[in-house]
């Protein structure tokens, strides 16, 4: 087989065979094909697209390029959830304890954040001592004991994806549904859970900016997951504004604790209840989503979900006093209140720009080795459709750097669009996609 022939075939709009896809993925991962040839192939794929079969073979070839994580020593049906990335998305910190409190194992291997979307591991590390670097046997033991653990991916999973994604990033070939779906799903399927719920975000703070793109990505991922033998479904959810009110690591942990106690923002709570009920159905804990929602709500009302978070923090060496009293979490030296200069309704805000404000305060990573300021971030006091009077606080800026804080203050005033009431109000759950 020759890579030249594969590029030519794709350039001329013919579908590639399973063997051809395996060949280029394997040989590229092993360093036997140069970047310039794979760049040409990626561009041919980008322009001519891939069939469903090609996308599935690509996903499988990427999985086969590395290790897989066998979770069979964890008792019961294991479920996983994945978000395609948004701003202020702390659902894993809430959903995991809820599911575990319902008696379903939540064994989650998570990643770190890059850019304006924060990672679950970074958020957990704002709790003093919290250990995300568990060995495989420690991870399995903890899940078998308390039904929940969240740790970092130690295994060498999907090495081909790391190389392909880095190359796509610099060759303008990221935005292709088959390439995105195979990249995301290979990483999910390499960890062998029984059921997966995907939260595909759409809007100004998401990777997918319009509903058509988000739906086709969701369909593609649901198809790949099920064809691979895993029960997979997706919801498409609104990311035209950050989820909840907090953006930033310790701030999001604090908000997660409030939500587990039933005192959190309604959009964040709603999304966790919806995703949670779907996970309970996949795990066959309940027979329908209505029952699932009821069971999840009870974990908030009876305190069992909150106690699960405490238990996980204790088992992973975190300081539980920071959960019992969230004022002990890292706090910033300064809090600036951004005051509205006008009266009206919040019509829109660009969630990505809000995320980038939090990033420039130090809440996220500009590059893989940037250091995160755990206490920095934003708390939104007004969201879309809220009424605002001149002088009302729109956002609280938490910062350790007054100069950066002042700069973000000005940017936020530009980001908030305040005027007449919107004719259509915001919906959080936009689509549900099943196989
Ligand atoms: N996230 C991924 O992991 N891969 C993509 O291709 C896009 C987003």
């Amino acid at each position: 087989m020759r890579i030249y022939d594969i590029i030519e075939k794709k350039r001329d709009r013919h579908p590639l065979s399973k063997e051809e896809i395996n060949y280029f993925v394997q040989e590229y991962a092993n360093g036997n094909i140069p970047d310039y040839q794979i760049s040409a192939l990626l561009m041919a794929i980008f322009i001519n697209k891939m069939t469903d079969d090609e996308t599935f073979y690509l996903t499988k070839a990427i999985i086969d390029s590395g290790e897989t994580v066998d979770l069979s020593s964890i008792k019961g049906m294991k479920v996983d959830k994945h978000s395609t990335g948004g701003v202020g998305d702390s659902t894993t910190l809430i959903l995991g304890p809820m599911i575990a409190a319902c008696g379903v194992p939540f064994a989650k291997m998570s990643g770190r954040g890059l850019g304006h979307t924060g990672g679950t591991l970074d958020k957990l590390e704002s709790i003093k001592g919290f250990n995300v670097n568990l060995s495989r046997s420690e991870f399995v033991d903890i899940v078998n004991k308390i039904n929940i653990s969240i740790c970092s991916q130690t295994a060498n999973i999907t090495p081909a994806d790391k190389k392909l994604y880095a190359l796509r990033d610099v060759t303008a070939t990221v935005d292709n549904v088959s390439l995105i779906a195979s990249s995301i799903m290979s990483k999910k399927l390499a960890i062998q859970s029984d059921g997966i719920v995907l939260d595909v975000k759409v809007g100004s703070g998401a990777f997918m900016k319009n509903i058509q793109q988000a739906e086709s990505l969701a369909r593609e991922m649901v198809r790949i997951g099920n064809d691979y033998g895993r029960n997979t479904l997706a919801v498409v959810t609104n990311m035209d504004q950050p989820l909840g009110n907090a953006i930033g690591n310790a701030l999001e942990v604090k908000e997660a604790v409030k939500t587990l106690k039933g005192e959190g923002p309604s959009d964040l709570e709603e999304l966790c209840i919806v995703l949670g009920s779907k996970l309970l159905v996949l795990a066959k804990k309940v027979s329908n989503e209505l029952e699932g929602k009821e069971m999840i709500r009870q974990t908030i009302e009876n305190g069992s979900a909150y106690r699960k978070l405490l238990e996980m923090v204790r088992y992973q060496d975190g300081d539980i006093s920071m959960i019992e009293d969230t004022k002990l979490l890292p706090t910033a030296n300064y809090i600036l209140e951004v005051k509205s200069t006008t009266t009206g309704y919040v019509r829109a805000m660009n969630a990505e720009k809000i995320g980038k404000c939090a990033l420039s305060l130090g809440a996220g990573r500009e590059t893989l080795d940037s250091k995160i300021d755990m206490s920095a971030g934003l708390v939104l006091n007004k969201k879309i459709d809220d009424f605002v009077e001149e002088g009302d606080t729109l956002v609280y800026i938490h910062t350790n750097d007054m100069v950066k804080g002042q700069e973000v203050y000005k940017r936020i005033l530009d980001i908030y669009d305040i005027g007449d009431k919107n004719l259509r109000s915001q919906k959080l759950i936009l689509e549900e996609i099943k196989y």
Side-chain angles (χ1 to χ4, degrees), residues 64-199:
D64 293 343
S65 72
E67 285 176 52
T68 55
V69 179
D70 178 4
L71 299 179
S72 60
S73 46
I74 295 175
K75 294 172 236 127
M77 294 272 280
K78 283 116 349 225
V79 290
D80 197 359
K81 87 97 166 91
H82 178 77
S83 149
T84 57
V87 181
D89 184 357
S90 57
T91 45
T92 300
L93 303 180
I94 303 159
L95 192 56
M98 285 172 164
I99 294 298
C102 293
V104 173
F106 191 80
K108 178 120 184 102
M109 292 193 164
S110 239
R112 296 193 182 275
L114 184 60
H116 73 277
T117 60
T120 301
L121 297 184
D122 301 313
K123 294 169 198 178
L124 284 168
E125 281 181 343
S126 67
I127 305 164
K128 194 169 133 213
F130 194 97
N131 180 15
V132 297
N133 299 314
L134 302 177
S135 69
R136 197 74 56 79
S137 65
E138 286 170 326
F139 177 61
V140 166
D141 277 358
I142 295 178
V143 182
N144 276 333
K145 280 195 188 114
I146 63 167
N147 267 340
I148 182 168
S149 178
I150 303 175
C151 76
S152 79
Q153 276 157 19
T154 47
N156 178 30
I157 66 163
T158 64
D161 177 65
K162 289 189 187 81
K163 284 190 80 175
L164 286 168
Y165 196 15
L167 194 58
R168 284 165 57 211
D169 212 20
V170 291
T171 55
T173 51
V174 169
D175 280 342
N176 169 280
V177 166
S178 292
L179 294 175
I180 299 173
S182 57
S183 165
I184 294 177
M185 288 309 287
S186 60
K187 286 174 282 214
K188 280 286 101 184
L189 297 170
I191 298 166
Q192 297 170 0
S193 56
D194 303 300
I196 305 168
V197 172
L198 302 163
D199 178 7

Side-chain angles (χ1 to χ4, degrees), residues 105-338:
F106 191 80
K108 178 120 184 102
M109 292 193 164
S110 239
R112 296 193 182 275
L114 184 60
H116 73 277
T117 60
T120 301
L121 297 184
D122 301 313
K123 294 169 198 178
L124 284 168
E125 281 181 343
S126 67
I127 305 164
K128 194 169 133 213
F130 194 97
N131 180 15
V132 297
N133 299 314
L134 302 177
S135 69
R136 197 74 56 79
S137 65
E138 286 170 326
F139 177 61
V140 166
D141 277 358
I142 295 178
V143 182
N144 276 333
K145 280 195 188 114
I146 63 167
N147 267 340
I148 182 168
S149 178
I150 303 175
C151 76
S152 79
Q153 276 157 19
T154 47
N156 178 30
I157 66 163
T158 64
D161 177 65
K162 289 189 187 81
K163 284 190 80 175
L164 286 168
Y165 196 15
L167 194 58
R168 284 165 57 211
D169 212 20
V170 291
T171 55
T173 51
V174 169
D175 280 342
N176 169 280
V177 166
S178 292
L179 294 175
I180 299 173
S182 57
S183 165
I184 294 177
M185 288 309 287
S186 60
K187 286 174 282 214
K188 280 286 101 184
L189 297 170
I191 298 166
Q192 297 170 0
S193 56
D194 303 300
I196 305 168
V197 172
L198 302 163
D199 178 7
V200 178
K201 306 277 188 201
V202 59
S204 62
F207 209 60
M208 297 283 135
K209 303 291 181 207
N210 70 57
I211 186 84
Q212 288 80 13
Q213 284 177 328
E215 263 179 39
S216 68
L217 177 64
R219 273 185 219 294
E220 194 74 52
M221 293 199 293
V222 166
R223 194 182 51 74
I224 295 171
N226 285 286
D227 287 353
Y228 200 79
R230 306 281 173 76
N231 234 329
T232 306
L233 48 87
V235 282
V236 177
T237 67
N238 188 328
M239 191 31 80
D240 269 332
Q241 62 179 339
L243 186 63
N245 300 328
I247 305 137
N249 298 282
L251 294 170
E252 286 182 52
V253 170
K254 191 171 176 180
E255 187 162 87
V257 172
K258 274 171 88 177
T259 308
L260 286 168
K261 290 180 168 175
E263 296 154 11
S266 56
D267 57 345
L268 184 56
E269 179 181 293
E270 181 191 348
L271 184 59
C272 291
I273 292 175
V274 168
L275 296 175
S277 67
K278 290 180 187 299
L279 286 167
L280 292 183
V281 173
L282 285 186
K284 301 194 174 19
K285 188 75 188 172
V286 293
S287 50
N288 60 58
E289 285 175 22
L290 216 61
E291 262 180 58
K293 284 183 183 167
E294 194 40 47
M295 190 179 262
I296 298 274
R297 278 198 194 96
Q298 274 173 23
T299 69
I300 304 178
E301 275 158 30
N302 65 23
S304 58
Y306 166 70
R307 286 195 298 277
K308 265 295 160 205
L309 176 69
L310 274 181
E311 220 174 348
M312 176 176 77
V313 171
R314 185 174 331 109
Y315 269 78
Q316 293 193 222
D317 304 326
D319 181 350
I320 59 162
S321 68
M322 289 189 164
I323 303 297
E324 288 167 329
D325 178 3
T326 52
K327 287 199 277 315
L328 299 176
L329 283 162
T331 48
N333 288 335
Y334 311 104
I335 300 178
L336 309 182
E337 289 186 44
V338 182

